[in-house]
Coordinates of all heavy atoms in Angstrom, one line a residue:
M1 N 24.5 -3.4 2.1 CA 23.4 -3.1 3.0 C 22.5 -4.3 3.1 O 22.3 -5.0 2.1 CB 22.7 -1.8 2.6 CG 23.4 -0.6 2.9 SD 22.4 0.9 2.6 CE 22.4 1.0 0.8
I2 N 21.8 -4.4 4.2 CA 20.8 -5.4 4.4 C 19.7 -4.8 5.2 O 19.9 -4.0 6.1 CB 21.3 -6.7 5.1 CG1 20.2 -7.7 5.2 CG2 22.0 -6.4 6.4 CD1 20.7 -9.1 5.7
T3 N 18.5 -5.1 4.8 CA 17.3 -4.6 5.6 C 16.8 -5.6 6.6 O 17.1 -6.8 6.4 CB 16.2 -4.1 4.7 OG1 15.7 -5.3 4.0 CG2 16.6 -3.1 3.6
A4 N 16.0 -5.2 7.5 CA 15.4 -6.1 8.5 C 14.5 -7.1 7.7 O 14.5 -8.3 8.1 CB 14.7 -5.3 9.5
A5 N 13.8 -6.6 6.7 CA 12.9 -7.5 6.0 C 13.7 -8.5 5.2 O 13.3 -9.7 5.1 CB 12.1 -6.6 5.0
Q6 N 14.9 -8.2 4.7 CA 15.7 -9.2 4.0 C 16.2 -10.2 5.0 O 16.3 -11.4 4.7 CB 16.9 -8.5 3.4 CG 16.6 -7.8 2.1 CD 17.8 -7.1 1.5 OE1 18.5 -6.3 2.2 NE2 18.2 -7.4 0.3
M7 N 16.5 -9.8 6.2 CA 17.0 -10.8 7.3 C 15.9 -11.8 7.5 O 16.1 -13.0 7.6 CB 17.3 -10.0 8.6 CG 18.7 -9.4 8.6 SD 19.1 -8.6 10.2 CE 19.3 -10.1 11.2
R8 N 14.6 -11.3 7.7 CA 13.5 -12.2 8.0 C 13.2 -13.1 6.9 O 13.0 -14.3 7.0 CB 12.3 -11.3 8.4 CG 12.4 -10.6 9.8 CD 11.1 -10.0 10.2 NE 10.7 -8.9 9.3 CZ 11.1 -7.7 9.4 NH1 11.9 -7.3 10.3 NH2 10.6 -6.8 8.5
A9 N 13.3 -12.5 5.7 CA 13.1 -13.4 4.5 C 14.1 -14.4 4.3 O 13.9 -15.6 4.0 CB 13.0 -12.5 3.2
A10 N 15.4 -14.0 4.6 CA 16.5 -15.0 4.5 C 16.3 -16.1 5.5 O 16.5 -17.3 5.1 CB 17.8 -14.3 4.7
R11 N 15.9 -15.8 6.7 CA 15.7 -16.8 7.7 C 14.6 -17.8 7.3 O 14.7 -19.0 7.4 CB 15.4 -16.2 9.1 CG 16.6 -15.7 9.8 CD 16.3 -15.5 11.3 NE 15.2 -14.7 11.6 CZ 14.0 -15.2 12.0 NH1 13.8 -16.4 12.2 NH2 13.0 -14.3 12.3
A12 N 13.5 -17.2 6.7 CA 12.4 -18.0 6.3 C 12.8 -18.9 5.1 O 12.4 -20.1 5.1 CB 11.2 -17.1 5.8
L13 N 13.6 -18.4 4.2 CA 14.1 -19.3 3.1 C 14.9 -20.4 3.6 O 14.9 -21.5 3.1 CB 14.8 -18.5 2.1 CG 14.0 -17.6 1.1 CD1 14.9 -16.7 0.3 CD2 13.1 -18.4 0.2
L14 N 15.7 -20.1 4.6 CA 16.6 -21.2 5.2 C 15.9 -22.1 6.2 O 16.4 -23.1 6.5 CB 17.8 -20.5 5.9 CG 18.8 -19.7 4.9 CD1 19.8 -18.9 5.8 CD2 19.4 -20.7 4.0
G15 N 14.7 -21.6 6.7 CA 14.0 -22.4 7.7 C 14.7 -22.4 9.0 O 14.7 -23.4 9.7
I16 N 15.3 -21.3 9.4 CA 16.0 -21.2 10.7 C 15.4 -20.1 11.5 O 14.7 -19.2 11.0 CB 17.5 -20.9 10.5 CG1 17.8 -19.6 9.8 CG2 18.2 -22.1 9.7 CD1 19.2 -19.2 9.7
D17 N 15.6 -20.2 12.8 CA 15.2 -19.2 13.7 C 16.3 -18.2 14.1 O 17.4 -18.3 13.6 CB 14.6 -19.8 15.0 CG 15.6 -20.6 15.8 OD1 16.8 -20.6 15.5 OD2 15.2 -21.4 16.7
Q18 N 15.9 -17.2 14.9 CA 16.9 -16.1 15.2 C 18.1 -16.7 15.9 O 19.3 -16.3 15.7 CB 16.3 -15.0 16.0 CG 15.3 -14.2 15.2 CD 14.7 -13.1 16.1 OE1 14.5 -13.3 17.3 NE2 14.3 -12.0 15.5
R19 N 17.9 -17.7 16.8 CA 19.0 -18.3 17.6 C 20.0 -19.0 16.6 O 21.2 -18.8 16.8 CB 18.4 -19.3 18.6 CG 19.5 -19.9 19.5 CD 18.9 -20.7 20.6 NE 17.9 -20.0 21.4 CZ 18.2 -19.2 22.4 NH1 19.5 -18.9 22.6 NH2 17.2 -18.6 23.0
T20 N 19.5 -19.7 15.6 CA 20.4 -20.4 14.7 C 21.1 -19.4 13.9 O 22.3 -19.6 13.6 CB 19.5 -21.3 13.8 OG1 18.8 -22.2 14.6 CG2 20.4 -22.1 12.8
L21 N 20.5 -18.3 13.4 CA 21.2 -17.3 12.7 C 22.3 -16.6 13.6 O 23.4 -16.4 13.1 CB 20.3 -16.2 12.2 CG 20.9 -15.1 11.4 CD1 21.7 -15.6 10.2 CD2 19.8 -14.1 10.9
A22 N 22.0 -16.4 14.8 CA 23.0 -15.9 15.7 C 24.2 -16.9 15.8 O 25.4 -16.4 15.7 CB 22.4 -15.7 17.1
E23 N 24.0 -18.1 15.9 CA 25.0 -19.1 16.0 C 25.8 -19.2 14.7 O 27.1 -19.2 14.7 CB 24.5 -20.5 16.3 CG 23.9 -20.6 17.7 CD 23.1 -21.9 17.9 OE1 22.9 -22.7 17.0 OE2 22.5 -22.0 19.1
L24 N 25.2 -19.1 13.6 CA 25.8 -19.2 12.3 C 26.7 -18.0 12.0 O 27.8 -18.1 11.4 CB 24.8 -19.3 11.1 CG 24.0 -20.6 11.0 CD1 23.0 -20.5 9.9 CD2 25.0 -21.8 10.7
S25 N 26.3 -16.8 12.5 CA 27.0 -15.6 12.3 C 28.0 -15.2 13.4 O 28.8 -14.3 13.2 CB 26.0 -14.4 12.1 OG 25.3 -14.2 13.3
G26 N 28.0 -15.9 14.5 CA 28.8 -15.6 15.6 C 28.4 -14.4 16.4 O 29.2 -13.8 17.1
L27 N 27.2 -14.0 16.2 CA 26.6 -12.8 16.9 C 25.7 -13.3 18.0 O 25.3 -14.4 18.0 CB 25.8 -11.9 15.9 CG 26.6 -11.4 14.7 CD1 25.7 -10.7 13.7 CD2 27.7 -10.4 15.2
S28 N 25.4 -12.4 18.9 CA 24.5 -12.8 20.0 C 23.1 -12.7 19.6 O 22.7 -12.0 18.6 CB 24.7 -11.8 21.2 OG 24.2 -10.5 20.9
L29 N 22.2 -13.5 20.2 CA 20.8 -13.5 19.9 C 20.2 -12.1 20.1 O 19.5 -11.6 19.2 CB 20.0 -14.5 20.8 CG 18.5 -14.6 20.6 CD1 18.2 -14.9 19.2 CD2 17.9 -15.6 21.6
P30 N 20.5 -11.3 21.2 CA 20.0 -10.0 21.3 C 20.4 -9.1 20.1 O 19.7 -8.2 19.7 CB 20.5 -9.4 22.6 CG 20.8 -10.7 23.4 CD 21.2 -11.7 22.4
T31 N 21.6 -9.3 19.6 CA 22.1 -8.5 18.4 C 21.2 -8.8 17.2 O 20.7 -7.9 16.5 CB 23.5 -8.7 18.1 OG1 24.3 -8.3 19.2 CG2 24.0 -8.0 16.8
I32 N 21.0 -10.1 16.9 CA 20.1 -10.5 15.8 C 18.7 -9.9 16.0 O 18.1 -9.3 15.1 CB 20.0 -12.0 15.7 CG1 21.4 -12.5 15.3 CG2 19.0 -12.4 14.6 CD1 22.0 -12.1 14.0
Q33 N 18.2 -10.0 17.2 CA 16.8 -9.5 17.5 C 16.8 -8.0 17.3 O 15.8 -7.5 16.7 CB 16.4 -9.8 18.9 CG 16.2 -11.3 19.1 CD 16.0 -11.7 20.6 OE1 16.6 -11.0 21.5 NE2 15.3 -12.7 20.8
R34 N 17.8 -7.3 17.7 CA 17.8 -5.8 17.5 C 17.9 -5.5 16.0 O 17.2 -4.6 15.6 CB 19.0 -5.2 18.3 CG 19.2 -3.7 18.1 CD 20.5 -3.2 18.7 NE 21.7 -3.9 18.3 CZ 22.3 -3.7 17.1 NH1 21.8 -2.9 16.2 NH2 23.4 -4.4 16.9
M35 N 18.7 -6.2 15.3 CA 18.8 -5.9 13.9 C 17.5 -6.2 13.2 O 17.1 -5.3 12.3 CB 19.9 -6.9 13.2 CG 21.3 -6.5 13.6 SD 22.5 -7.7 12.9 CE 24.0 -6.8 13.0
E36 N 16.8 -7.2 13.5 CA 15.5 -7.5 12.8 C 14.4 -6.6 13.2 O 13.4 -6.4 12.5 CB 15.1 -9.0 13.1 CG 15.9 -10.0 12.2 CD 15.2 -11.3 12.2 OE1 14.1 -11.5 12.6 OE2 15.9 -12.2 11.6
A37 N 14.6 -5.9 14.4 CA 13.6 -5.0 14.8 C 13.8 -3.6 14.2 O 13.0 -2.7 14.4 CB 13.6 -4.9 16.4
S38 N 14.9 -3.4 13.5 CA 15.2 -2.2 12.8 C 14.1 -1.8 11.8 O 13.4 -2.6 11.3 CB 16.5 -2.2 12.0 OG 17.6 -2.5 12.9
D39 N 14.0 -0.5 11.6 CA 13.1 0.0 10.6 C 13.9 0.3 9.3 O 14.7 1.2 9.3 CB 12.4 1.3 11.1 CG 11.3 1.8 10.2 OD1 10.7 1.0 9.4 OD2 11.1 3.0 10.2
G40 N 13.8 -0.5 8.3 CA 14.5 -0.3 7.1 C 15.9 -1.0 7.2 O 16.0 -2.1 7.6
V41 N 16.9 -0.2 6.8 CA 18.3 -0.7 6.7 C 18.8 -1.0 8.1 O 18.6 -0.2 9.0 CB 19.2 0.3 6.0 CG1 20.7 -0.2 6.0 CG2 18.8 0.5 4.6
V42 N 19.4 -2.2 8.3 CA 19.9 -2.6 9.6 C 21.2 -1.8 9.9 O 22.0 -1.6 9.0 CB 20.3 -4.1 9.5 CG1 21.1 -4.5 10.8 CG2 19.1 -5.0 9.4
R43 N 21.2 -1.3 11.1 CA 22.4 -0.5 11.5 C 23.1 -1.4 12.5 O 22.6 -2.1 13.3 CB 21.9 0.8 12.2 CG 21.2 1.7 11.2 CD 20.8 3.0 11.8 NE 19.9 3.7 10.9 CZ 20.3 4.7 10.2 NH1 21.6 5.1 10.1 NH2 19.5 5.3 9.4
G44 N 24.4 -1.2 12.5 CA 25.3 -2.0 13.4 C 26.7 -1.7 13.0 O 27.0 -1.0 12.0
N45 N 27.7 -2.2 13.8 CA 29.0 -2.0 13.5 C 29.4 -2.8 12.3 O 28.8 -3.8 12.0 CB 30.0 -2.2 14.7 CG 30.1 -3.6 15.1 OD1 30.3 -4.5 14.3 ND2 29.9 -3.8 16.4
V46 N 30.4 -2.4 11.6 CA 30.8 -3.0 10.3 C 31.1 -4.5 10.5 O 30.7 -5.3 9.7 CB 32.0 -2.3 9.6 CG1 32.5 -3.0 8.4 CG2 31.6 -0.9 9.3
D47 N 31.8 -4.8 11.6 CA 32.2 -6.2 11.8 C 31.0 -7.1 12.0 O 30.9 -8.2 11.4 CB 33.1 -6.3 13.1 CG 33.6 -7.7 13.4 OD1 34.2 -8.3 12.4 OD2 33.4 -8.2 14.5
S48 N 30.0 -6.6 12.7 CA 28.8 -7.4 12.9 C 28.0 -7.6 11.6 O 27.5 -8.7 11.3 CB 27.9 -6.8 14.0 OG 28.5 -6.8 15.2
L49 N 27.9 -6.5 10.9 CA 27.2 -6.6 9.6 C 27.9 -7.6 8.6 O 27.3 -8.4 7.9 CB 27.0 -5.2 8.9 CG 26.1 -4.3 9.7 CD1 26.2 -2.9 9.1 CD2 24.7 -4.8 9.6
M50 N 29.2 -7.5 8.6 CA 30.0 -8.4 7.7 C 29.8 -9.9 8.2 O 29.7 -10.8 7.3 CB 31.5 -8.1 7.7 CG 31.8 -6.7 7.1 SD 31.2 -6.6 5.4 CE 32.4 -7.7 4.6
K51 N 29.8 -10.1 9.5 CA 29.6 -11.5 10.0 C 28.2 -12.0 9.5 O 28.0 -13.1 9.1 CB 29.7 -11.6 11.5 CG 31.1 -11.5 12.0 CD 31.1 -11.5 13.5 CE 32.5 -11.5 14.1 NZ 32.5 -11.5 15.6
L52 N 27.2 -11.1 9.7 CA 25.8 -11.5 9.3 C 25.7 -11.8 7.8 O 25.2 -12.9 7.4 CB 24.9 -10.4 9.7 CG 23.4 -10.5 9.2 CD1 22.8 -11.7 9.9 CD2 22.7 -9.2 9.4
V53 N 26.2 -10.9 7.0 CA 26.1 -11.1 5.5 C 26.9 -12.3 5.1 O 26.5 -13.1 4.3 CB 26.6 -9.8 4.8 CG1 26.7 -10.0 3.3 CG2 25.6 -8.7 5.1
G54 N 28.1 -12.5 5.7 CA 28.9 -13.7 5.4 C 28.2 -15.0 5.7 O 28.3 -15.9 5.0
A55 N 27.6 -15.0 6.9 CA 26.9 -16.2 7.3 C 25.7 -16.5 6.4 O 25.5 -17.7 6.0 CB 26.4 -16.1 8.8
L56 N 25.0 -15.5 6.0 CA 23.9 -15.7 5.1 C 24.4 -16.2 3.7 O 23.8 -17.1 3.1 CB 23.0 -14.4 4.9 CG 22.2 -14.0 6.2 CD1 21.6 -12.6 5.9 CD2 21.2 -15.0 6.5
H57 N 25.4 -15.6 3.3 CA 26.0 -16.0 2.0 C 26.5 -17.5 2.0 O 26.2 -18.2 1.1 CB 27.1 -15.1 1.6 CG 27.7 -15.4 0.2 ND1 27.1 -15.1 -0.9 CD2 28.9 -16.0 -0.1 CE1 27.8 -15.5 -2.0 NE2 28.9 -16.1 -1.5
A58 N 27.2 -17.8 3.1 CA 27.6 -19.2 3.3 C 26.5 -20.2 3.3 O 26.6 -21.3 2.9 CB 28.5 -19.3 4.5
A59 N 25.3 -19.7 3.8 CA 24.2 -20.6 3.9 C 23.4 -20.7 2.6 O 22.4 -21.4 2.5 CB 23.2 -20.1 5.0
G60 N 23.8 -19.8 1.6 CA 23.2 -19.9 0.3 C 22.2 -18.7 -0.1 O 21.5 -18.8 -1.0
I61 N 22.3 -17.7 0.7 CA 21.5 -16.5 0.5 C 22.2 -15.4 -0.3 O 23.3 -15.1 0.0 CB 21.0 -15.9 1.8 CG1 20.1 -16.9 2.6 CG2 20.3 -14.6 1.6 CD1 18.8 -17.2 1.9
E62 N 21.6 -14.9 -1.4 CA 22.1 -13.8 -2.2 C 21.3 -12.6 -1.9 O 20.1 -12.6 -2.1 CB 22.1 -14.1 -3.7 CG 22.5 -13.0 -4.5 CD 22.3 -13.2 -6.0 OE1 21.6 -14.2 -6.4 OE2 22.7 -12.4 -6.8
L63 N 21.9 -11.6 -1.3 CA 21.2 -10.3 -1.0 C 21.1 -9.5 -2.3 O 22.1 -9.3 -2.9 CB 21.9 -9.6 0.1 CG 21.9 -10.3 1.4 CD1 22.8 -9.5 2.4 CD2 20.5 -10.5 2.0
I64 N 19.9 -9.1 -2.7 CA 19.7 -8.3 -3.9 C 19.3 -6.9 -3.6 O 18.3 -6.7 -2.9 CB 18.6 -9.0 -4.8 CG1 19.0 -10.4 -5.0 CG2 18.5 -8.2 -6.1 CD1 17.8 -11.2 -5.7
N65 N 20.2 -6.0 -4.0 CA 19.8 -4.6 -3.7 C 18.7 -4.1 -4.7 O 18.6 -4.7 -5.7 CB 21.1 -3.7 -3.9 CG 22.1 -3.9 -2.8 OD1 21.7 -4.1 -1.6 ND2 23.4 -3.9 -3.1
A66 N 18.0 -3.1 -4.3 CA 17.0 -2.5 -5.1 C 17.6 -2.2 -6.5 O 18.6 -1.5 -6.6 CB 16.4 -1.3 -4.5
G67 N 16.9 -2.6 -7.6 CA 17.3 -2.3 -8.9 C 18.4 -3.2 -9.4 O 18.8 -3.0 -10.6
A68 N 19.0 -4.1 -8.6 CA 20.1 -4.9 -9.1 C 19.5 -6.2 -9.6 O 18.5 -6.7 -9.2 CB 21.0 -5.2 -7.9
A69 N 20.3 -6.8 -10.5 CA 19.9 -8.1 -11.1 C 20.5 -9.2 -10.3 O 21.5 -9.1 -9.7 CB 20.4 -8.2 -12.5
S70 N 19.8 -10.3 -10.2 CA 20.3 -11.5 -9.6 C 20.9 -12.4 -10.6 O 20.2 -12.8 -11.5 CB 19.2 -12.2 -8.8 OG 19.6 -13.5 -8.3
T71 N 22.2 -12.7 -10.5 CA 22.8 -13.5 -11.5 C 23.1 -15.0 -11.0 O 23.6 -15.8 -11.8 CB 24.2 -12.9 -11.9 OG1 25.0 -12.8 -10.7 CG2 24.0 -11.5 -12.5
G72 N 22.7 -15.3 -9.8 CA 23.0 -16.6 -9.2 C 22.1 -17.7 -9.8 O 22.5 -18.8 -9.8
G73 N 21.0 -17.4 -10.3 CA 20.1 -18.4 -10.9 C 19.3 -19.2 -9.9 O 18.5 -20.1 -10.4
G74 N 19.4 -19.0 -8.7 CA 18.7 -19.7 -7.7 C 17.3 -19.1 -7.4 O 17.0 -18.1 -8.0
R75 N 16.5 -19.8 -6.6 CA 15.2 -19.3 -6.2 C 15.4 -18.1 -5.3 O 16.4 -18.0 -4.6 CB 14.4 -20.3 -5.5 CG 14.0 -21.5 -6.4 CD 13.3 -22.5 -5.6 NE 13.1 -23.7 -6.5 CZ 12.0 -24.2 -6.8 NH1 10.9 -23.6 -6.4 NH2 11.9 -25.2 -7.6
G76 N 14.5 -17.2 -5.2 CA 14.6 -16.1 -4.3 C 13.3 -15.3 -4.2 O 12.3 -15.7 -4.7
V77 N 13.4 -14.2 -3.4 CA 12.2 -13.4 -3.2 C 12.7 -11.9 -3.4 O 13.8 -11.6 -3.0 CB 11.7 -13.6 -1.8 CG1 10.6 -12.6 -1.4 CG2 11.3 -15.0 -1.5
R78 N 11.9 -11.1 -4.0 CA 12.2 -9.7 -4.2 C 10.9 -8.9 -3.9 O 9.8 -9.3 -4.4 CB 12.6 -9.5 -5.6 CG 12.9 -8.0 -5.9 CD 13.3 -7.7 -7.3 NE 14.5 -8.3 -7.7 CZ 15.7 -7.6 -7.8 NH1 15.7 -6.4 -7.7 NH2 16.8 -8.3 -8.2
L79 N 11.0 -7.9 -3.1 CA 9.9 -7.0 -2.8 C 9.9 -6.0 -4.0 O 10.9 -5.3 -4.2 CB 10.1 -6.3 -1.5 CG 9.0 -5.4 -1.1 CD1 7.7 -6.1 -0.9 CD2 9.4 -4.7 0.2
I80 N 8.8 -6.0 -4.7 CA 8.7 -5.1 -5.9 C 8.6 -3.6 -5.5 O 9.3 -2.8 -6.0 CB 7.5 -5.4 -6.8 CG1 7.6 -6.8 -7.3 CG2 7.3 -4.4 -7.9 CD1 6.4 -7.4 -8.0
S81 N 7.8 -3.3 -4.5 CA 7.8 -1.9 -4.0 C 7.5 -1.9 -2.5 O 6.8 -2.8 -2.0 CB 6.7 -1.2 -4.8 OG 5.4 -1.7 -4.5
P82 N 8.0 -0.9 -1.8 CA 7.8 -0.9 -0.4 C 6.3 -0.9 -0.1 O 5.5 -0.2 -0.8 CB 8.4 0.5 0.0 CG 9.4 0.7 -1.0 CD 8.9 0.2 -2.3
G83 N 5.9 -1.7 0.8 CA 4.4 -1.8 1.2 C 3.7 -2.8 0.3 O 2.6 -3.3 0.7
G84 N 4.3 -3.2 -0.8 CA 3.7 -4.2 -1.6 C 2.3 -3.9 -2.1 O 1.9 -2.7 -2.0
H85 N 1.6 -4.8 -2.6 CA 0.3 -4.6 -3.1 C -0.8 -5.3 -2.3 O -1.9 -5.3 -2.6 CB 0.2 -5.2 -4.6 CG 1.1 -4.5 -5.5 ND1 0.8 -3.2 -6.0 CD2 2.2 -4.9 -6.1 CE1 1.8 -2.9 -6.8 NE2 2.7 -3.8 -6.9
G86 N -0.3 -6.0 -1.2 CA -1.3 -6.6 -0.3 C -1.7 -7.9 -0.9 O -1.4 -8.3 -2.0
P87 N -2.5 -8.7 -0.2 CA -3.0 -10.0 -0.7 C -4.0 -9.8 -1.8 O -4.8 -8.9 -1.8 CB -3.6 -10.6 0.6 CG -3.9 -9.5 1.5 CD -2.9 -8.4 1.2
A88 N -4.0 -10.8 -2.7 CA -5.0 -10.8 -3.7 C -6.4 -11.0 -3.1 O -6.6 -11.8 -2.2 CB -4.7 -11.9 -4.8
R89 N -7.4 -10.5 -3.8 CA -8.8 -10.6 -3.3 C -9.6 -11.3 -4.3 O -9.5 -11.3 -5.4 CB -9.4 -9.3 -2.9 CG -8.7 -8.6 -1.8 CD -9.3 -7.3 -1.5 NE -8.3 -6.6 -0.6 CZ -8.7 -5.7 0.2 NH1 -9.9 -5.2 0.2 NH2 -7.8 -5.1 0.9

């Protein structure tokens, strides 16, 4: 599974826009836009989701599920809790 927030974070880490992600994954730009506009877990057909996850993985992104450990050793981002704690004051 991948969430819309993970998609946006992955693009930010890679420094790419939605159009580039569409090209890398072989999906259309409207499909990427629809996926990122999802609330929570991205919904789509299995083939599209596999293309997306495969393209992100090939670009160096490791998707980490809630409660899972990251064993890759690279830099990353993890949301500790939904909604976060907001900016420090």
Side-chain angles (χ1 to χ4, degrees):
M1 284 190 283
I2 182 172
T3 66
Q6 283 178 305
M7 281 183 70
R8 291 187 297 272
R11 281 195 312 100
L13 285 170
L14 295 171
I16 62 174
D17 59 13
Q18 289 179 330
R19 183 173 307 281
T20 303
L21 181 55
E23 291 168 2
L24 291 173
S25 63
L27 300 172
S28 69
L29 178 58
T31 296
I32 296 296
Q33 291 170 332
R34 178 186 52 77
M35 287 176 162
E36 283 197 10
S38 299
D39 184 28
V41 174
V42 170
R43 298 182 190 259
N45 68 51
V46 174
D47 185 53
S48 294
L49 292 170
M50 294 301 292
K51 286 180 180 180
L52 172 66
V53 171
L56 291 173
H57 183 74
I61 296 295
E62 176 188 8
L63 297 173
I64 306 168
N65 291 323
S70 172
T71 58
R75 294 177 188 242
V77 175
R78 178 186 293 255
L79 182 63
I80 295 172
S81 63
H85 297 287
R89 294 179 193 202

